Amino acid sequence: MSNTDSNHGPTRHQAITTVAQALEAARDTPEGARNPTVVYILETALSDIWRKIEAQPASYVMTRDEFAVFNYFQGRFSGLQLAAAARRRYWDHLELTNGA
């Protein structure tokens, strides 16, 4: 196979520098999920998202990209009311903005 597949995300030879790239790598393979760069980027993003939720526990609405990261780590927040409320606000906001 050639490198023409590179438009489908980062390859092993491309540097992972964004949250979106890290999330894609983590979802694609177990090796990607264990890559130290991927882990660092996603853990940093998750920490930032969680700080925002804690700072505005009744009103913060995650962006689509933030929700993707939060959803990737959903098992970590199992049983936490604050996390469940944040997920519910995201979906409620999405329904409102899409006119559902």
Side-chain angles (χ1 to χ4, degrees):
M1 211 185 306
S2 70
N3 274 347
T4 58
D5 291 339
S6 64
N7 63 345
H8 296 293
T11 66
R12 292 178 204 204
H13 305 292
Q14 292 175 314
I16 296 172
T17 59
T18 68
V19 172
Q21 289 172 335
L23 191 56
E24 183 176 349
R27 287 177 173 162
D28 282 352
T29 66
E31 295 80 25
R34 290 188 300 267
N35 177 306
T37 301
V38 169
V39 170
Y40 175 78
I41 290 171
L42 293 179
E43 289 288 347
T44 299
L46 182 63
S47 293
D48 291 344
I49 296 163
W50 189 245
R51 268 194 297 277
K52 292 175 184 179
I53 292 169
E54 288 183 314
Q56 299 176 50
S59 62
Y60 186 73
V61 177
M62 291 179 275
T63 66
R64 182 177 182 267
D65 292 338
E66 287 174 331
F67 183 77
V69 172
F70 197 77
N71 195 50
Y72 178 77
F73 287 104
Q74 67 181 318
R76 191 176 291 186
F77 298 100
S78 180
L80 290 177
Q81 279 300 110
L82 185 57
R87 274 193 294 276
R88 190 169 33 257
R89 272 193 311 279
Y90 172 80
W91 287 114
D92 289 349
H93 179 75
L94 190 63
E95 287 178 7
L96 286 174
T97 59
N98 287 338

